[in-house]
Amino acid sequence: MRRWASKKAERFEESVIREMTRISTLENGINLAQGFPDFEAPLPMKEAAKRAIDADINQYAITWGSELLREAVAKRTSEYNRIPASGGSNVTICCGATEAMIATMLAVLDPGDEVILFEPFYENYGPDCWISGAVPKFCRLAAPDWAIDFDELERAFGEKTRAIVINTPHNPTGKVFSRSELEHIARLCIEHDVLAITDEIYEYILYDGAEHISIGSLAGMADRTVTISGLSKTWSATGWRIGWCIAAEEISLAIRKMHDFLTVGAPAPLQEAAAAALGFGESYFASLQREYTERRNVLLEVLEETGFGVSRPQGAYYIMCDLGDLARPAETDTEFAMRLLRDGGVATVPGSSFYADPTTGNREIRFCFAKKLETLRKAAAVLRERLA
Ligand code: GLN
């Protein structure tokens, strides 16, 4: 029989994160797997979306984004990320940070180019490389503090290295890359003439005084960095699919072409509402941090109490755990996750899905705490009962 799937499509599997959400629904579970909030999005943003639909902003926006939103993104990026950006030449609005990442890779990578990923990594980056014809190379972040081994990183840079993907705050570990780590990475990028592609979707979700630094703001990096972010996490609207990337004009032009032929554009009325959301005052971001700190603490407490080996996130909304003695001797992360989920349990993401070689990370598991306190408390009760 002829096989119809392309070699590219056969190169990778369905997303484990999204599969866990589906199984959670079937098992009537409490979903702490896929990273999305179960609470409401901000009211003024929802009202702005309704107004935009009523005002009949229902046709295509400019393919690389409505002028209003590009200007709002440029302003925020200049102020918060300290990357001087112009809506006219540096900003492209995409269908989520997910599309921003694949459009960027398609725009800058040729077959055979190598891309460095820090491992564990958010699972999309692997397929993004393969779809672009590029080859991922890995540099391990080691638990419990997820420090970078710079000798290993330097060895990963080679003749064919074209880009490095940074994700700070980091999914799944909660690591926030420090200024000195980013400066070291920047030096390597400049020395080897490599592009930094940085996914900063969790940039406002920070704990214990952690500071978010964008590598694009460091000396010599503005022209060799693509900075990606979006509405999903900071404004609790993962289903709206509004993301963006910031890049120097030449790179932006290439990204805009890819974006145009991939999706034409992001939803027009939601772009209007996103522009309103980007204008929220400082108190919005302060309460976001306060509320997430409370959610993090509820989950941390129960995970520590039940015997997981926990690393305390400095940012983002996940806790990556070591299974320690909680897993049976031969039990894999996936088997453990299924045991925890079955019949109304708690859905998580098996750690192996964040590693290139699934035998690594098979004693780890990721919990998401972007949930109402009520949901987290229910999950805590189930964990206490099942793991006591
Ligand atoms: N980034 C989120 C996660 O890691 C959601 C991913 C997705 O399904 N798009 O769970």
Side-chain angles (χ1 to χ4, degrees):
M1 258 283 274
R2 184 161 182 353
R3 293 171 69 88
W4 294 105
S6 68
K7 291 194 183 68
K8 283 198 290 293
E10 292 199 328
R11 190 71 194 66
F12 50 88
E13 299 301 322
E14 181 195 13
S15 153
V16 178
I17 296 177
R18 297 181 273 284
E19 187 186 13
M20 287 307 286
T21 285
R22 275 197 305 281
I23 303 175
S24 179
T25 309
L26 293 177
E27 292 287 337
N28 216 356
I30 303 169
N31 188 359
L32 305 190
Q34 193 177 8
F36 64 89
D38 70 346
F39 43 84
E40 55 294 337
L43 187 62
M45 182 178 86
K46 293 192 285 193
E47 284 172 343
K50 289 181 226 169
R51 278 198 305 276
I53 290 173
D54 286 341
D56 232 343
I57 303 181
N58 292 312
Q59 310 310 325
Y60 303 122
I62 295 173
T63 182
W64 52 87
S66 79
E67 194 177 339
L68 191 71
L69 180 54
R70 277 183 289 115
E71 289 307 326
V73 169
K75 184 165 184 290
R76 249 208 173 271
T77 308
S78 306
E79 288 170 9
Y80 183 69
N81 307 79
R82 295 165 199 253
I83 302 173
S86 117
S89 50
N90 304 123
V91 180
T92 305
I93 308 298
C94 293
C95 296
T98 298
E99 196 226 336
M101 180 58 79
I102 185 72
T104 299
M105 288 210 194
L106 288 168
V108 301
L109 299 173
D110 283 313
D113 285 347
E114 290 179 1
V115 178
I116 300 172
L117 304 181
F118 288 104
E119 191 181 37
F121 58 92
Y122 171 51
E123 58 174 3
N124 277 38
Y125 306 149
D128 287 342
C129 289
W130 296 121
I131 291 169
S132 314
V135 182
K137 296 277 159 185
F138 303 97
C139 175
R140 184 71 59 80
L141 302 171
D145 58 352
W146 313 105
I148 301 170
D149 176 342
F150 279 102
D151 292 332
E152 188 184 337
L153 183 61
E154 283 177 30
R155 283 196 300 275
F157 277 83
E159 280 290 289
K160 294 184 182 161
T161 310
R162 183 81 170 155
I164 179 168
V165 175
I166 295 146
N167 171 213
T168 183
H170 185 253
N171 175 8
T173 67
K175 174 187 173 70
V176 173
F177 284 59
S178 70
R179 181 175 293 278
S180 72
E181 285 174 327
L182 292 169
E183 281 171 351
H184 197 145
I185 298 168
R187 276 199 302 281
L188 290 170
C189 287
I190 292 166
E191 189 184 317
H192 294 272
D193 203 13
V194 160
L195 184 78
I197 306 174
T198 170
D199 177 350
E200 302 184 5
I201 190 80
Y202 303 98
E203 59 190 332
Y204 291 96
I205 303 177
L206 300 162
Y207 309 105
D208 308 331
E211 188 193 1
H212 175 70
I213 293 159
S214 294
I215 194 167
S217 69
L218 303 184
M221 289 304 289
D223 288 344
R224 58 169 71 252
T225 302
V226 180
T227 307
I228 295 172
S229 192
L231 206 67
S232 295
K233 315 293 180 176
T234 307
W235 287 273
S236 309
T238 60
W240 282 25
R241 313 312 302 131
I242 302 283
W244 49 81
C245 49
I246 318 294
E249 187 164 10
E250 183 212 331
I251 305 173
S252 277
L253 288 173
I255 295 172
R256 286 176 178 187
K257 281 193 283 186
M258 288 301 165
H259 161 71
D260 186 10
F261 287 99
L262 282 171
T263 62
V264 181
L270 304 186
Q271 293 193 46
E272 297 300 300
L278 265 87
F280 287 172
E282 281 317 304
S283 66
Y284 176 78
F285 302 94
S287 36
L288 184 82
Q289 293 206 0
R290 215 174 30 248
E291 287 163 15
Y292 268 111
T293 303
E294 207 177 339
R295 294 177 190 119
R296 180 195 68 159
N297 293 348
V298 169
L299 189 61
L300 263 180
E301 186 186 312
V302 64
L303 295 180
E304 278 168 352
E305 185 190 311
T306 43
F308 287 97
V310 167
S311 41
R312 229 181 144 75
Q314 302 166 286
Y317 51 47
Y318 307 102
I319 302 178
M320 188 73 154
C321 294
D322 190 283
L323 295 175
D325 296 335
L326 290 172
R328 296 168 184 147
E331 195 175 40
T332 66
D333 58 333
T334 307
E335 288 160 349
F336 179 88
M338 289 305 169
R339 175 156 69 90
L340 199 59
L341 172 57
R342 214 154 287 135
D343 297 330
V346 175
T348 57
V349 180
S352 55
S353 63
F354 300 97
Y355 292 86
D357 171 359
T359 60
T360 327
N362 68 3
R363 303 291 289 177
E364 288 172 340
I365 200 168
R366 189 194 77 173
F367 288 83
C368 167
F369 56 86
K371 306 293 162 189
K372 294 178 194 147
L373 288 175
E374 176 196 324
T375 310
L376 294 169
R377 293 202 178 106
K378 270 191 212 145
V382 172
L383 291 172
R384 286 195 177 99
E385 187 193 302
R386 294 201 174 191
L387 301 173

